[in-house]
Amino acid sequence: MQEWLQFLSSPNLQWVMAGAALLGLASGVVGSFVLLRKESLVGDAMAHAALPGICLGFLVFGRETLALMGGAALTGLLAVYAIRAVHSQSKIKQDAAIGIVLSVFFGFGIVLLTMITNGSYSQSSGLDEFIFGQAASLVGADVQILIASALILLILSFLFFKELKLLIFDPLFAGGIGLPIRFLNALLSSMVVLVVITGIQTVGVILMAALLITPAVTARYWTDRLGVMAVLSGLIGGLSGAVGALLSSTISGLPTGPVIVVTATAFFLISFLFAPQRGILFRMMETRKNTQLVLNDFLLDTMYEKLEKRYASGQYSALFSHRELEEQTRLPRNGLEKTIQSLQKQGLLTRKDGKYVLTGKGLAYAYDSSLLRRLQDIHLTHEAELGSWKEASANGDLRKPRDYLMNERIHSLLTAEQKLPISLAIKQTSIEYADQA
């Protein structure tokens, strides 16, 4: 324990963890806007386009941090406007325009970097670290820049939250009410560039897009609200940065930037699997549950229709053998067994002398289910007169399907088309039989 405390008290580790956490926080918040605006690849293009700006800044001013960041910002913004110009002035789609601009800028950056590396520049050592990042080289001055950048981005996100929200979800309405669309577009692009240029030293131009998008995608699994998503994304990004920096420091030679991205991906995988509503396991469980509900209703409707036929022919037996249920439903044996067990657990079906019979509760449920399905058929057949089934569902009129029978027109249509379920005679016979079970 004492060794860990000594390890965590290292000033260099604290600088690296603080810088990575601040970068993740800012990236997560800005990434939420970028993701929902469906411009994730634009951030990737900005990150790759920063490389030639770094090289140009080095050639003009030397290895000065502000010069390198200024050059990265310049070429990053230039890449954004190049993408928009190619997309708007031609028939090329946005994804193709991004691919073209990204490749050209990054290729130009590699050419410049090769010239600098092979040239007689004594200060060029380590410049290629901007490709993959070198978080371990962060010092106090770098963290101060990250703090200032994070504060600026958080303040801008808070001040222009409503405007950016409208820009993302309904830009036409935003323009119609007088919002400065061009300014907001430029603001969002500048925020992305600011994140990129402050993060390339930590994770590099190649992996910066992952840190910008992954926390936002992870947060999207947990909420439908932009405000909550931005907060969650920032927290996930900050935690990924801190944990990734700590993990990389425990193993000698392990690069910090890639570990941060892998940590963020681990959080994404957890959300992808276990998040409520959107997680894959939750959706699998919901699909399985809904499938079982459909099978339950199908078996109950089948048994009820068979009871109606028996009643019409003067037979009042309410019992069903297992073989008869197999023949009537044509369900696989395992599916039928699970459905029977599910109905028994709900008290809708019981067993008598090796056969199955609907309970009073099950018969009432089956009656309502059959009536609901037949009402749907009537609505679809006479939609011009009765209105659409979708409207009836939206209005909540289907919670009590028996109330529909109070409508003389619907009652007459059900009777004329022989779709009115038989209830009382079968119900009395079945309940009496089931109660003896």
Side-chain angles (χ1 to χ4, degrees):
M1 185 65 181
Q2 187 175 1
E3 294 179 356
W4 269 101
L5 291 176
Q6 292 179 351
F7 177 71
L8 293 175
S9 62
S10 171
N12 183 59
L13 176 61
Q14 292 176 356
W15 285 125
V16 173
M17 290 183 63
L22 289 169
L23 175 63
L25 174 64
S27 300
V29 174
V30 176
S32 300
F33 300 112
V34 176
L35 175 68
L36 294 178
R37 206 181 178 201
K38 299 180 180 179
E39 291 186 349
S40 302
L41 291 178
V42 173
D44 192 21
M46 286 185 183
H48 283 76
L51 182 59
I54 293 172
C55 295
L56 291 173
F58 172 80
L59 290 173
V60 176
F61 298 100
R63 195 180 173 87
E64 295 291 335
T65 302
L66 291 180
L68 300 180
M69 292 179 64
L74 180 63
T75 54
L77 286 174
L78 183 61
V80 173
Y81 288 109
I83 291 171
R84 292 177 179 172
V86 172
H87 176 56
S88 60
Q89 301 299 325
S90 67
K91 295 182 179 180
I92 298 177
K93 294 184 178 180
Q94 187 179 33
D95 57 345
I98 291 173
I100 294 171
V101 173
L102 182 151
S103 302
V104 170
F105 274 77
F106 190 65
F108 182 54
I110 293 296
V111 171
L112 291 177
L113 183 61
T114 304
M115 292 175 57
I116 293 173
T117 304
N118 296 333
S120 58
Y121 298 95
S122 59
Q123 297 174 321
S124 63
S125 175
L127 193 62
D128 56 349
E129 293 175 354
F130 284 95
I131 297 179
F132 296 104
Q134 187 64 31
S137 64
L138 291 177
V139 294
D142 297 324
V143 176
Q144 291 175 2
I145 294 175
L146 284 170
I147 293 174
S149 174
L151 287 175
I152 292 173
L153 290 169
L154 292 176
I155 292 172
L156 290 175
S157 299
F158 177 77
L159 292 177
F160 294 94
F161 178 78
K162 293 182 179 179
E163 291 79 3
L164 291 174
K165 185 176 181 179
L166 276 177
L167 178 69
I168 291 170
F169 293 109
D170 198 342
L172 294 178
F173 176 74
I177 62 175
L179 291 181
I181 300 299
R182 290 186 178 181
F183 168 76
L184 293 175
N185 279 322
L187 175 65
L188 184 57
S189 298
S190 300
M191 291 170 66
V192 176
V193 169
L194 184 57
V195 170
V196 169
I197 63 175
T198 54
I200 52 179
Q201 186 176 358
T202 304
V203 296
V205 298
I206 294 179
L207 298 178
M208 188 58 218
L211 191 58
L212 185 67
I213 300 304
T214 305
V217 175
T218 304
R220 184 67 181 88
Y221 273 88
W222 297 91
T223 182
D224 290 324
R225 300 176 58 186
L226 178 57
V228 178
M229 177 182 170
V231 173
L232 282 177
S233 180
L235 293 176
I236 293 170
L239 187 60
S240 299
V243 173
L246 179 61
L247 291 176
S248 67
S249 300
T250 58
I251 302 176
S252 178
L254 196 63
T256 305
V259 175
I260 293 174
V261 174
V262 170
T263 304
T265 305
F267 285 118
F268 164 74
L269 290 177
I270 293 173
S271 300
F272 178 73
L273 292 174
F274 303 108
Q277 304 300 327
R278 291 186 175 86
I280 187 171
L281 294 181
F282 179 88
R283 287 189 284 120
M284 289 174 61
M285 293 173 61
E286 282 294 302
T287 300
R288 184 176 180 181
K289 178 182 177 181
N290 293 334
T291 300
Q292 190 59 60
L293 291 175
V294 171
L295 291 176
N296 290 353
D297 289 345
F298 173 65
L299 181 56
L300 290 175
D301 290 350
T302 301
M303 295 176 71
Y304 196 84
E305 290 179 358
K306 185 63 176 178
L307 288 175
E308 287 182 305
K309 293 179 181 179
R310 290 179 182 178
Y311 176 82
S313 61
Q315 301 177 18
Y316 296 97
S317 172
L319 295 173
F320 291 86
S321 66
H322 195 283
R323 182 176 181 180
E324 186 177 10
L325 292 179
E326 286 182 345
E327 293 176 351
Q328 292 293 326
T329 61
R330 297 186 180 278
L331 292 174
R333 180 176 293 273
N334 291 338
L336 181 59
E337 290 293 341
K338 290 181 180 179
T339 304
I340 291 174
Q341 292 174 8
S342 177
L343 293 176
Q344 287 177 326
K345 289 180 181 179
Q346 298 177 56
L348 304 177
L349 192 69
T350 189
R351 196 175 178 89
K352 172 69 175 179
D353 298 332
K355 295 186 177 182
Y356 301 98
V357 60
L358 291 173
T359 63
K361 179 182 177 182
L363 193 58
Y365 184 95
Y367 175 85
D368 288 339
S369 178
S370 298
L371 177 58
L372 192 63
R373 179 169 52 82
R374 297 176 193 186
L375 285 170
Q376 182 179 11
D377 294 339
I378 289 293
H379 264 272
L380 294 176
T381 306
H382 304 274
E383 184 173 351
E385 178 184 356
L386 302 177
S388 69
W389 181 253
K390 184 177 181 180
E391 292 177 354
S393 302
N395 294 333
D397 299 335
L398 308 178
R399 297 176 184 175
K400 297 181 180 179
R402 300 190 192 198
D403 291 348
Y404 263 72
L405 300 181
M406 302 298 293
N407 187 311
E408 294 183 1
R409 179 55 180 162
I410 292 179
H411 192 283
S412 64
L413 290 172
L414 287 170
T415 305
E417 299 187 17
Q418 298 181 350
K419 292 183 177 180
L420 183 64
I422 303 173
S423 58
L424 295 178
I426 294 182
K427 190 173 182 181
Q428 292 172 356
T429 305
S430 299
I431 290 176
E432 181 179 357
Y433 210 115
D435 290 342
Q436 296 174 2

